[in-house]
Amino acid sequence: MVVLEKELSILLSKLQGIAQTGKQFGKDIFDQERYEELSIVAKELTHLLYPELSEQELMIFFDKDEGYATPKVDIRAVVFNQEGKLLLVKEKSDDSWALPGGWADIGYSPKEVAEKEVLEETGLKVKAERLIAVLDKAKHEYPPSLTYVYKFFIRCQPASQKIKPGIETSAAAFFTLEEIYSLKLSEARTIKQNYEMLFHDYQHEKNEMICD
């Protein structure tokens, strides 16, 4: 059932992308009407698949974005300490652990987003060094999502030591991979396979970028 839901969510994202792009670049009024109707159908199908979504949430997903439809970018900062433990934050929104990070902000480069998110969520100053991986979220074992996402994992070096939670986080700490396995993880943000990938990268230092 989860696999079917994930496939349906991807198809709905594609439908919405076609409708959004078509409304922007349709050549005449008849094209515009067809793409608008396609957007309405996609919205109705989404409501059937996710009845818990409010009208406001549906409006944000279907009507807020304009122009050519593209994936959203999620930036995750990868910070290891001298003991080889990985920095995680506990999100207030779902009381679960994840890598520091969030949506890419306009006006900031990917590295700048990683540095900013770590500072805001943990109080640590870091220096972003290199891109570890770019993953297509739909091609991995994340929970189903209506938003089509590319995930950037950026290695950062800590420039300070003192940790303090931010506005959106209730805790921040460093963990071994074995300790991470026992945590309640925010799988919409980062999954176990991500942590295994990151520890493997840290332990082998191959400087090879992974890209789907």
Side-chain angles (χ1 to χ4, degrees):
M1 180 62 183
V2 174
V3 174
L4 177 60
E5 183 180 347
K6 184 173 183 178
E7 291 176 350
L8 287 173
S9 66
I10 293 173
L11 290 174
L12 285 170
S13 293
K14 288 182 177 180
L15 277 179
Q16 166 57 15
I18 293 169
Q20 178 181 318
T21 303
K23 286 192 290 184
Q24 178 71 21
F25 298 103
K27 295 181 179 179
D28 56 44
I29 188 172
F30 300 105
D31 282 342
Q32 293 292 326
E33 289 177 351
R34 293 187 187 97
Y35 286 121
E36 180 62 35
E37 185 175 356
L38 180 60
S39 180
I40 292 171
V41 170
K43 187 183 295 186
E44 291 175 349
L45 288 172
T46 302
H47 185 63
L48 289 175
L49 183 61
Y50 299 100
E52 70 276 9
L53 292 178
S54 67
E55 286 295 325
Q56 183 178 8
E57 289 172 318
L58 286 172
M59 182 186 69
I60 290 173
F61 176 69
F62 283 96
D63 303 326
K64 186 175 181 180
D65 202 6
E66 296 179 346
Y68 193 90
T70 61
K72 290 181 71 68
V73 176
D74 178 32
I75 306 290
R76 294 291 151 180
V78 180
V79 184
F80 285 92
N81 65 8
Q82 293 181 345
E83 289 74 39
K85 295 185 177 183
L86 181 61
L87 179 64
L88 271 64
V89 296
K90 193 172 189 180
E91 301 282 350
K92 289 182 179 179
S93 60
D94 58 6
D95 200 36
S96 299
W97 292 88
L99 292 171
W103 297 124
D105 295 312
I106 294 173
Y108 291 84
S109 72
K111 283 185 175 181
E112 289 171 339
V113 171
E115 293 170 353
K116 180 173 73 72
E117 290 290 333
V118 174
L119 182 61
E120 291 176 352
E121 296 184 1
T122 73
L124 285 180
K125 292 183 179 180
V126 299
K127 177 65 176 177
E129 292 188 331
R130 65 181 177 88
L131 181 63
I132 298 173
V134 177
L135 302 183
D136 181 338
K137 190 175 180 181
K139 298 185 183 299
H140 297 270
E141 299 301 315
Y142 295 93
S145 171
L146 283 175
T147 306
Y148 206 92
V149 179
Y150 287 169
K151 300 184 70 68
F152 286 35
F153 295 85
I154 297 178
R155 178 74 177 274
C156 304
Q157 283 295 334
S160 61
Q161 301 294 326
K162 190 174 181 180
I163 294 176
K164 60 178 181 180
I167 296 175
E168 299 178 351
T169 57
S170 59
F174 289 92
F175 298 94
T176 66
L177 182 58
E178 290 70 24
E179 290 169 337
I180 290 174
Y181 285 146
S182 65
L183 297 174
K184 178 186 175 185
L185 299 177
S186 180
E187 294 188 344
R189 296 177 175 88
T190 40
I191 55 178
K192 290 180 179 179
Q193 290 87 341
N194 298 153
Y195 298 114
E196 292 167 354
M197 172 188 71
L198 299 174
F199 273 91
H200 183 270
D201 176 86
Y202 174 77
Q203 292 163 359
H204 293 82
E205 289 289 353
K206 292 183 178 180
N207 292 333
E208 295 179 357
M209 201 270 284
I210 300 169
C211 184
D212 284 333

